[in-house]
């Protein structure tokens, strides 16, 4: 009989926390999971899931326009922001219910309160002040938006959290940042009819992606009418007498907007979590430092997901949770594998990517081959849309392995998932060449690019 109240106490009911609590409870462990806001975490409640619903909503005006080329006449159309929010909220509530049901069915106790570390084996339930003990503790509290508190007027700005609950759809929005959230929301707002400006400090948006898809997306967004200001930052946000926001920029004067959204990265949500009471070590960004088994420097305390700042993605947090269960409860030490993670940016057009960019591969290997196709997708021929699709494979010339695959265009995220399997399996370009095409698809380009577009040797294009 354990001397602890619980075998496992999980702080944070997001993707990583819920998965570890549910699996441990279903194995007969005595588990509690505390959540201060809503079960489901950032991904389900105010991240990936509602974002994707917004992406769908924002695409309809293009669908209506495209329809004409196929013989359809679409009548008057209009968009109701409040209806979208209500429908989205209903779906999120349903999903939250499913998360809770999964925990209940597995036998995990759900505690609706903030919880903080009170010692190596103890947790304080903030709502009641009660201290409970656990043999193992998992911290899976995720991250929070960077509110950029040094920016004068930051309190007038919103983050993605608020974007999901705006009372009114703004007429004009300025979005700061050039990462996933900034780019996705710029497309969402533009698609819903909002005059949208994106302002990014670097030379090209999406700094960690392949140069061709970055440039291709930038051009496509501008062609749609999204204003993109690179090498610029917001210096101050203030409110005018009319209630409009004035956004003073470094290089582009003053922009006017109804909303300013900051999407400047997310920080680990570790403030006031009581980590110092147990001596849990964090890095300079406040992220919990863990070993290859997600264990902190305190042997009874583990950390999963965004709070560890390894890779801030939902499937990664879930994978880390499953590795924790294998290691701690199935006697099968398993480290999370963070290599070759396929990912998508739900911009319009979408980006799907896995492995190294050309720039990374050029540094890592003596010689690489680049296979690149840029073409107009079939649907665009009748719709008349001027968009281009880009597909790119990066091959290490020495062993012919495909080390990177990058797509810009419709369904790029869906394709990236399957490419992820092939690259993870170590497939070579010859394997791609041997694969029969599926016709007519856009994806067939991936297996029909027989000759390299160019090579990069010693970092130089030849
Ligand atoms: P990102 O890290 O993707 O982007 C942050 C952006 O903010 C970068 O462009 C960065 O510039 C810029 N930035 C950071 N600090 C400053 C500053 N002080 N002044 C000006 N610009 C600044 O973070 P996001 O907030 O977009 O998203 C958070 C995380 O959530 C992502 O890392 C991603 O892992 C995850 N996510 C995943 C999604 C998906 O899978 N589709 C969707 C949404 C989020 P620079 O590049 O120059 O550093």
């Amino acid at each position: 009989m354990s001397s602890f109240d619980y075998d496992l106490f999980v702080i944070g009911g997001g993707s990583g926390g819920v998965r570890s609590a549910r699996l441990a409870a279903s194995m007969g462990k005595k588990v509690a999971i505390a959540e201060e806001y809503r079960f489901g975490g950032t991904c389900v409640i105010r991240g990936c899931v509602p974002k994707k619903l917004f992406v769908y909503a924002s695409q309809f005006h293009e669908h209506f326009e495209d329809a004409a080329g196929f013989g359809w006449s679409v009548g008057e159309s209009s968009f109701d922001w409040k209806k979208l929010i209500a429908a989205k909220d209903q779906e999120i509530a349903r999903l939250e219910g499913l998360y809770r049901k999964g925990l209940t069915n597995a036998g995990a106790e759900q505690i609706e309160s903030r919880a903080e570390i009170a010692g190596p084996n103890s947790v304080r339930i903030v709502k009641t002040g009660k201290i409970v003990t656990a043999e193992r503790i998992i911290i899976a509290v995720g991250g929070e938006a960077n509110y950029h508190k040094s920016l004068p007027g930051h309190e007038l700005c919103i983050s993605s959290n608020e974007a999901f609950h705006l009372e009114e759809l703004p007429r004009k929005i300025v979005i700061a940042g050039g990462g996933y959230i900034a780019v996705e929301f710029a497309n969402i707002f533009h698609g819903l009819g909002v005059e949208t400006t994106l302002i990014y400090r670097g030379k090209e948006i999406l700094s960690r992606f392949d140069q061709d898809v970055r440039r291709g997306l930038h051009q496509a967004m501008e062609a749609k009418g999204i204003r993109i200001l690179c090498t610029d930052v917001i210096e101050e946000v203030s409110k005018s007498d009319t209630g409009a926001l004035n956004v003073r920029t470094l290089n582009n004067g003053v922009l006017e907007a109804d909303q300013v959204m900051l999407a400047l990265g997310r920080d680990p949500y570790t403030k006031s979590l009581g980590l110092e009471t147990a001596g849990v070590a964090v890095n300079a960004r406040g992220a919990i430092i863990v070993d290859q088994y997600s264990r902190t420097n305190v042997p009874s305390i583990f950390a999963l997901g965004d709070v560890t700042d390894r890779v801030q993605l939902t499937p990664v947090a879930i994978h880390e949770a499953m590795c924790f269960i294998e290691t701690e409860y199935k006697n099968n030490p398993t480290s999370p594998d963070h290599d070759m993670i396929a990912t998508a940016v739900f911009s319009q057009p979408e980006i799907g990517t896995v492995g190294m960019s050309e720039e990374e591969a050029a540094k890592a290997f003596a010689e690489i081959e680049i296979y690149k196709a840029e073409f107009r997708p079939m649907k665009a021929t009748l719709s008349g849309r001027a968009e281009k699709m880009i597909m790119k494979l990066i091959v290490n010339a020495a062993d012919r392995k495909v080390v990177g695959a990058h797509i810009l265009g419709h369904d790029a995220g869906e394709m990236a998932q399957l490419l992820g399997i092939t690259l993870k399996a170590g497939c070579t370009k010859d394997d791609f060449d041997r694969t029969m095409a599926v016709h007519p698809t856009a994806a067939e380009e991936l297996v029909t690019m027989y000759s390299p577009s160019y090579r990069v040797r010693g970092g130089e294009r030849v």
Side-chain angles (χ1 to χ4, degrees):
M1 184 63 192
S2 163
S3 56
F4 298 104
D5 297 326
Y6 298 100
D7 295 316
L8 177 67
F9 195 104
V10 181
I11 306 180
S15 304
V18 168
R19 181 61 62 96
S20 47
R22 183 166 63 71
L23 292 182
S26 66
M27 292 175 71
K29 302 291 172 193
K30 189 165 184 218
V31 179
I33 174 165
E35 167 57 50
E36 67 178 1
Y37 182 52
R38 292 177 67 183
F39 282 88
T42 302
C43 172
V44 174
I45 307 296
R46 46 193 181 190
C48 325
V49 176
K51 179 274 310 284
K52 188 89 188 265
L53 296 174
F54 279 14
V55 169
Y56 287 131
S58 67
Q59 288 172 332
F60 279 94
H61 89 274
E62 284 195 358
H63 295 330
F64 298 149
E65 281 171 17
D66 290 355
F70 295 87
W72 288 89
S73 9
V74 179
E76 275 286 297
S77 65
S78 63
F79 170 68
D80 186 331
W81 169 252
K82 287 198 163 76
K83 264 195 189 161
L84 172 65
I85 297 284
K88 178 266 297 176
D89 285 346
Q90 199 178 353
E91 173 58 7
I92 299 311
R94 185 185 74 84
L95 291 175
E96 184 184 7
L98 288 180
Y99 267 65
R100 282 177 167 279
K101 196 165 157 202
L103 287 165
T104 306
N105 290 348
E109 181 184 338
Q110 293 155 58
I111 300 174
E112 289 174 30
S113 166
R114 180 174 171 79
E116 294 169 358
I117 298 288
N121 293 96
S122 46
V123 173
R124 191 165 68 88
I125 313 294
V126 172
K127 217 179 228 176
T128 58
K130 193 174 159 197
I131 301 234
V132 297
T133 60
E135 186 181 13
R136 289 179 180 79
I137 297 168
I138 289 181
I139 303 171
V141 295
E144 61 173 340
N146 168 5
Y147 290 101
H148 203 0
K149 297 223 165 108
S150 58
L151 171 73
H154 68 87
E155 67 287 350
L156 300 169
C157 305
I158 59 168
S159 71
S160 52
N161 286 353
E162 292 75 32
F164 290 114
H165 297 285
L166 290 175
E167 286 284 316
E168 302 288 340
L169 184 65
R171 238 175 2 95
K172 280 190 195 177
I173 192 164
V174 172
I175 301 178
Y180 282 87
I181 296 180
V183 164
E184 291 180 343
F185 270 94
N187 283 282
I188 288 170
F189 280 119
H190 170 77
L192 295 178
V194 180
E195 197 181 313
T196 305
T197 303
L198 185 72
I199 179 161
Y200 170 54
R201 66 179 173 185
K203 284 205 183 96
E204 187 55 278
I205 55 171
L206 291 171
S207 57
R208 283 162 283 171
F209 288 75
D210 186 272
Q211 200 47 256
D212 281 313
V213 294
R214 293 168 70 186
R215 213 176 292 128
L217 177 63
H218 184 142
Q219 285 166 0
M221 285 170 64
E222 279 190 335
K224 282 176 199 283
I226 300 171
R227 187 173 178 210
I228 302 180
L229 307 175
C230 284
T231 57
D232 202 359
V233 287
I234 298 179
E235 291 195 314
E236 185 184 15
V237 179
S238 57
K239 208 172 209 168
S240 72
D241 297 342
T242 60
L245 297 175
N246 287 325
V247 184
R248 185 162 55 79
T249 67
L250 181 64
N251 298 322
N252 283 280
V254 178
L255 315 172
E256 201 187 85
D258 311 319
Q259 293 287 355
V260 179
M261 177 172 160
L262 304 181
L264 305 174
R266 293 177 60 83
D267 299 326
Y269 186 48
T270 46
K271 271 178 236 109
S272 319
L273 199 58
L275 297 180
E276 53 303 329
T277 46
V280 176
V282 296
N283 69 15
R285 293 195 60 224
I288 298 178
I289 299 168
V290 289
D291 69 7
Q292 82 232 55
Y293 299 113
S294 301
R295 190 189 292 265
T296 69
N297 60 316
V298 180
S300 53
I301 302 182
F302 298 76
L304 305 172
D306 287 6
V307 76
T308 62
D309 201 16
R310 286 177 280 188
V311 183
Q312 294 181 346
L313 293 170
T314 297
V316 173
I318 292 172
H319 172 67
E320 288 166 0
M322 288 169 28
C323 292
F324 164 84
I325 295 289
E326 286 294 319
T327 306
E328 294 301 315
Y329 294 134
K330 294 192 179 171
N331 199 22
N332 175 28
T334 308
S335 326
D337 178 357
H338 294 117
D339 189 35
M340 285 284 184
I341 297 171
T343 172
V345 183
F346 294 100
S347 45
Q348 299 169 42
E350 223 167 89
I351 290 177
T353 179
V354 55
M356 291 180 179
S357 64
E358 177 182 333
E359 298 73 36
E360 286 168 333
K363 284 191 195 130
F365 304 110
E367 183 176 334
I368 55 172
E369 293 171 357
I370 309 297
Y371 297 79
K372 197 171 128 185
E374 204 168 331
F375 57 96
R376 201 169 178 210
M378 196 183 202
K379 190 176 166 199
T381 56
L382 291 203
S383 71
R385 204 161 280 288
E387 67 184 41
K388 287 258 173 68
M389 200 149 185
I390 298 178
M391 298 206 173
K392 192 168 168 187
L393 295 177
I394 322 281
V395 176
N396 177 10
D399 59 8
R400 309 276 303 139
K401 277 204 176 141
V402 181
V403 294
H406 311 280
I407 302 170
L408 177 75
H410 281 292
D411 297 327
E414 303 290 340
M415 287 183 241
Q417 181 64 83
L418 301 178
L419 282 168
I421 302 171
T422 60
L423 267 67
K424 192 88 192 155
C427 287
T428 63
K429 182 63 174 58
D430 306 318
D431 295 319
F432 277 63
D433 292 347
R434 266 203 303 274
T435 303
M436 199 67 80
V438 179
H439 186 71
T441 63
E444 67 184 300
E445 290 293 328
L446 291 167
V447 295
T448 53
M449 295 188 281
Y450 298 113
S451 324
S453 307
Y454 55 92
R455 293 165 192 273
V456 180
R457 201 174 292 143
E460 298 290 324
R461 194 189 274 213
V462 289

